[in-house]
Amino acid sequence: MSTKILHIDSNNPILWKQLEEANFENEADFKSTKEEIEAKIHNYNGIVIRSRFKIDKTFLDKAVNLQFIARVGAGLESIDCEYAEEKGIHLIAAPEGNRNAVAEHSLGVILSLFNNLNQADAEIKNGQWNRESNRGHELDGKTVGIIGYGNMGKAFAKKLRGFETTVLCYDILDNVGDENAKQVSLSELQEKADVLSLHLPWTPETDKMVNADFIKAFAKPFWIINTSRGKNIVTADLVEAMKTQRILGAGLDVLEYEKLSFETLFQDKNTPEAFQYLLEAKNVLLTPHIAGWTFESHERLAQVIVDKIKALYSVS
């Protein structure tokens, strides 16, 4: 019998094409509700998703023939991973697919913040020629602290090799440091860092991790970059720290207010007060969850997923 795979999000065409060539049976459903998908998921052996909805216990209980869940992205927070693994379902993600894109984006954000590029651009377009107020900082000589030293963190540290920086990393796993970053305790990172870059999943342990107490533990004012998950930062506490210049600038590709699907910003039409501050602040750079969203990563993510599915079934 053929392995039937349900695709519930659109992806790069190579994913569908290569699975088809490997004799997997593809079906697509990009419009049905979660409940409608649940009603037929028993017909499938695999499901390919991005972030359309959460795969919870209810869904998994109905997926009686499911052998794998493949998420075309880096994180698996939209899946009840523990329950899926209890049921013997393989979990597949593709952090290798967009790690380079995230690393390049993170570097670009730091350089933009340090050199006031977005502010200077806006001022010139508004007829202002302000040199002194746009005097920048150099990355050379700074200490960059990376929290989360997996695929994304390691790729970012590698990009920093061209600068005369000290790179420190902190991770819950031991012995992950390498030639590009020295692994240290969280307290040492907070003592030394001029720049903090987050490369974390969203878990109960990382939820709201960057709060007022976390920020106060830093020995000196710092810049912060977040290309991980928005809910890892308490936005109101970030804003308060920016007002007192405990935080010198922020580059946020992700926001606390994002929906799970990452397709829209707010759950409702109300603009939180803290977010309004970010919208108006000159030392804030905001992007719509695009750090890993390049043309190259779009193809690479799909290729990684194909390769892992084929490896699971020992298909060459």
Side-chain angles (χ1 to χ4, degrees):
M1 293 180 63
S2 63
T3 302
K4 294 182 67 175
I5 301 174
L6 179 64
H7 300 249
I8 64 169
D9 288 296
S10 62
N11 288 291
N12 189 283
I14 69 169
L15 196 156
W16 182 288
K17 180 175 182 290
Q18 291 188 21
L19 287 175
E20 191 174 64
E21 290 172 348
N23 294 318
F24 291 93
E25 186 178 342
N26 294 313
E27 291 186 21
D29 188 339
F30 303 155
K31 295 182 179 180
S32 292
T33 65
K34 178 174 181 284
E35 291 72 23
E36 290 169 337
I37 298 292
E38 284 175 349
K40 65 178 182 179
I41 192 60
H42 63 277
N43 294 318
Y44 300 94
N45 309 114
I47 185 169
V48 176
I49 67 168
R50 288 205 321 266
S51 301
R52 193 161 134 214
F53 52 68
K54 185 172 178 60
I55 294 185
D56 53 19
K57 288 185 178 181
T58 301
F59 187 96
L60 292 168
D61 281 338
K62 296 183 178 181
V64 293
N65 293 307
L66 205 61
Q67 297 167 357
F68 73 84
I69 302 168
R71 177 165 186 268
V72 187
L76 295 169
E77 66 270 19
S78 62
I79 302 166
D80 189 330
C81 296
E82 184 176 348
Y83 195 59
E85 289 172 344
E86 285 178 13
K87 287 182 166 292
I89 298 171
H90 294 273
L91 300 176
I92 299 171
E96 308 93 330
N98 61 356
R99 61 189 174 190
N100 184 71
V102 170
E104 290 191 7
H105 183 99
S106 300
L107 182 57
V109 168
I110 287 180
L111 294 175
S112 181
L113 286 174
F114 270 35
N115 293 283
N116 304 307
L117 297 185
N118 57 319
Q119 173 183 311
D121 174 73
E123 288 176 352
I124 287 182
K125 290 176 178 176
N126 199 35
Q128 303 171 47
W129 186 266
N130 301 322
R131 296 187 70 219
E132 185 56 37
S133 63
N134 284 305
R135 189 185 291 272
H137 297 269
E138 296 180 17
L139 188 53
D140 277 25
K142 303 294 191 296
T143 296
V144 178
I146 298 172
I147 297 184
Y149 205 61
N151 279 281
M152 309 302 171
K154 288 180 184 292
F156 178 47
K158 185 177 179 181
K159 298 298 180 189
L160 291 167
R161 289 177 64 175
F163 296 86
E164 295 295 329
T165 59
T166 298
V167 183
L168 307 176
C169 68
Y170 170 75
D171 197 280
I172 59 173
L173 300 178
D174 295 327
N175 302 315
V176 298
D178 55 21
E179 68 275 13
N180 299 321
K182 177 185 176 184
Q183 186 168 8
V184 297
S185 66
L186 179 58
S187 60
E188 183 175 345
L189 185 147
Q190 290 172 314
E191 177 187 350
K192 297 179 178 178
D194 300 294
V195 176
L196 172 64
S197 189
L198 301 180
H199 298 276
L200 297 159
W202 180 45
T203 69
E205 291 72 32
T206 65
D207 183 56
K208 300 179 176 60
M209 183 186 75
V210 180
N211 56 23
D213 290 339
F214 179 93
I215 294 167
K216 289 176 184 176
F218 279 75
K220 50 188 174 180
F222 64 99
W223 287 265
I224 186 168
I225 310 297
N226 189 13
T227 56
S228 61
R229 290 294 184 259
K231 289 181 171 57
N232 292 337
I233 295 179
V234 179
T235 309
D237 292 353
L238 168 68
V239 166
E240 286 304 310
M242 296 189 73
K243 290 178 179 177
T244 60
Q245 296 188 319
R246 291 289 304 157
I247 291 181
L248 301 172
L252 306 175
D253 183 53
V254 289
L255 293 164
E256 181 181 357
Y257 318 107
E258 285 180 74
K259 285 187 176 183
L260 178 65
S261 68
F262 308 136
E263 297 298 329
T264 56
L265 184 57
F266 300 117
Q267 300 287 354
D268 52 44
K269 295 182 180 179
N270 297 321
T271 302
E273 182 179 346
F275 183 57
Q276 190 62 45
Y277 177 90
L278 297 178
L279 292 175
E280 298 171 1
K282 292 184 176 181
N283 58 340
V284 173
L285 184 59
L286 302 173
T287 49
H289 205 126
I290 57 168
W293 200 252
T294 63
F295 290 101
E296 291 83 0
S297 71
H298 187 231
E299 181 173 335
R300 200 177 299 120
L301 284 165
Q303 188 63 61
V304 170
I305 292 296
V306 169
D307 292 345
K308 289 186 176 182
I309 292 174
K310 290 167 67 175
L312 180 63
Y313 291 92
S314 300
V315 176
S316 59

